[in-house]
Amino acid sequence: MYPNLYYVFKDFFGIEWNFLHFVNSFGFFVALAFIICSIVLARELRRKGKEGVLGPVEEKVEVGKPATAGELAVNFVLGFVLGYKIIGLFLANGSAINPQEYIFSSQGNWLAGIALGLVFAFVKWREKNKQKLAKPETRTIRVWPHDRVGEITMIAIIFGLLGAKLFDTFENWDSFIKDPASIFSMSGLTFYGGLICAGIALWWYTRKHQIPFPHFLDVMAPVMMLAYGLGRIGCQVSGDGDWGIYNAAFKTSGAGGIAPATINDFQTTVTQQTGFFAHNSTHHAFFPKPGFLSFLPDWFFAYDFPHNVNETGVPLSNCVGKYCNHLPVPVFPTSLYEIIMGLLLFGLLWAIRKRFKIPGMLFGVYLILNGLERFFIEKIRVNVKMDFLGMQITQAELISFLMIIGGIVMMVLLKRGYKGKDSFLKTS
């Protein structure tokens, strides 16, 4: 596992750059997912525009005005905060500081903050000065949906992270009460919480800018599936706890490594590691590697997540410092399974995206596929269960079930309400 990029460069290239301690592996892959998905989103919105289903909106803008004091002040403050915190973080001693605690503390670099603040203010002044006219004028411009990708991405990031953290807090309320400061941590994010909150925010945004929401949903369907698959790479690489139940058909060694085992081996480990299992569920399955999948490595079926970012488990032998733990019994690497399923389902949605004629129908398919994937992966995934109508289920199971039902109902209603031809599929 690679909790941050420092360990990636150290392991692969033998380079030890302290500032890489601040680049969390999970956050890196989440950011990468947003970048890639914004590119795919722009491409799809542009395609919809060429097809004539998404058109531009005329807006009036005033051009030729010099930068105002307010604009310069806003840019200075933004540059100051980034310099004070982010550059200050990189200039600090990476091995001796907790990045999350640093970001939410008063620590920072004043010189870096003032310098970057002045740079931001100067860039804004120069940009406005180049466009300055002797007499400012009002112009009408045409703004296409694909011109708004930057704003759409920022809304998805902000409300997605807020929703993901909010739903995770509700799901783990007891832990939050014990440690309220954990709400500022980037660990513990619920995908469906981000999906719901970002979805509401984007509905408001598209309505405001006259973007037909059903067509927008169809554009977002493959994009969101791609984001899910790419985001899970961060979970797998960092070992953030999004793993499955124990697979008792395998065992680990003190130095890491996986080997076949018997159910007695599992019971012996549970007895020996009472300190760990006293606070951890022993929910497990016995699933040896099937013969027809013998070409796959053992860790595909059971993995101990050595050096995981949460520092969960028992100490690894011959390891000193942070991130020196691994799980005493390997678990199903469900984040790896979700990477594969997420990318495969993205490929499926991408392949069929042009065949649907009814707006919103592709999004209905997405709801069903995403719901099915998550509902079944929850059967072997570790998660907090809650009481619902006398049943013990996880928050994700409930939401994924509602997504499946919602997707089916959505497709039926769209089909019945469609005024065009009987067939809703384009002929190839």
Side-chain angles (χ1 to χ4, degrees), residues 9 13-14 20 26 30 62 142 215 263 286 288 365 383:
F9 278 74
F13 310 112
L20 289 176
F26 174 77
V30 169
E62 192 172 10
R142 303 175 75 192
H215 285 293
I263 191 64
F286 191 85
V365 176
N383 231 329

Side-chain angles (χ1 to χ4, degrees), residues 139-335:
R139 295 176 183 174
T140 300
I141 62 173
R142 303 175 75 192
V143 182
W144 291 81
H146 61 258
D147 295 325
R148 304 184 189 276
V149 167
E151 295 177 356
I152 292 172
T153 302
M154 287 306 301
I155 289 175
I157 291 174
I158 294 171
F159 286 91
L161 291 178
L162 287 175
K165 195 62 189 179
L166 184 64
F167 273 62
D168 177 74
T169 300
F170 289 146
E171 188 176 27
N172 300 278
W173 187 253
D174 292 340
S175 299
F176 168 71
I177 294 299
K178 294 177 182 178
D179 182 21
S182 64
I183 197 170
F184 297 114
S185 169
M186 284 301 293
S187 62
L189 297 175
T190 301
F191 171 78
Y192 284 148
L195 176 65
I196 293 170
C197 291
I200 295 172
L202 289 173
W203 169 80
W204 171 84
Y205 180 85
T206 55
R207 180 173 178 146
K208 176 183 177 182
H209 294 287
Q210 302 175 42
I211 300 174
F213 196 57
H215 285 293
F216 181 76
L217 286 178
D218 284 342
V219 170
M220 290 298 295
V223 173
M224 288 189 293
M225 192 63 81
L226 176 61
Y228 189 74
L230 293 177
R232 282 296 185 215
I233 297 177
C235 298
Q236 179 66 25
V237 172
S238 65
D240 68 348
D242 284 329
W243 48 60
I245 61 176
Y246 301 110
N247 186 352
F250 294 86
K251 61 183 178 181
T252 65
S253 65
I258 308 298
T262 65
I263 191 64
N264 290 332
D265 292 325
F266 172 74
Q267 294 168 345
T268 299
T269 302
V270 171
T271 302
Q272 293 174 343
Q273 301 292 346
T274 53
F276 174 77
F277 286 102
H279 305 288
N280 289 271
S281 170
T282 55
H283 187 199
H284 66 279
F286 191 85
F287 187 80
K289 179 163 58 174
F292 70 95
L293 295 177
S294 59
F295 63 93
L296 291 174
D298 289 345
W299 54 258
F300 187 87
F301 304 92
Y303 196 50
D304 63 333
F305 286 90
H307 310 287
N308 64 82
V309 68
N310 290 346
E311 300 189 83
T312 299
V314 297
L316 281 161
S317 58
N318 302 320
C319 183
V320 180
K322 293 189 69 175
Y323 311 119
C324 280
N325 284 2
H326 75 133
L327 302 180
V329 176
V331 296
F332 290 100
T334 50
S335 49

Side-chain angles (χ1 to χ4, degrees), residues 67-82:
T68 65
E71 289 175 328
L72 295 177
V74 168
N75 277 268
F76 175 81
V77 171
L78 178 60
F80 175 81
V81 171
L82 291 175

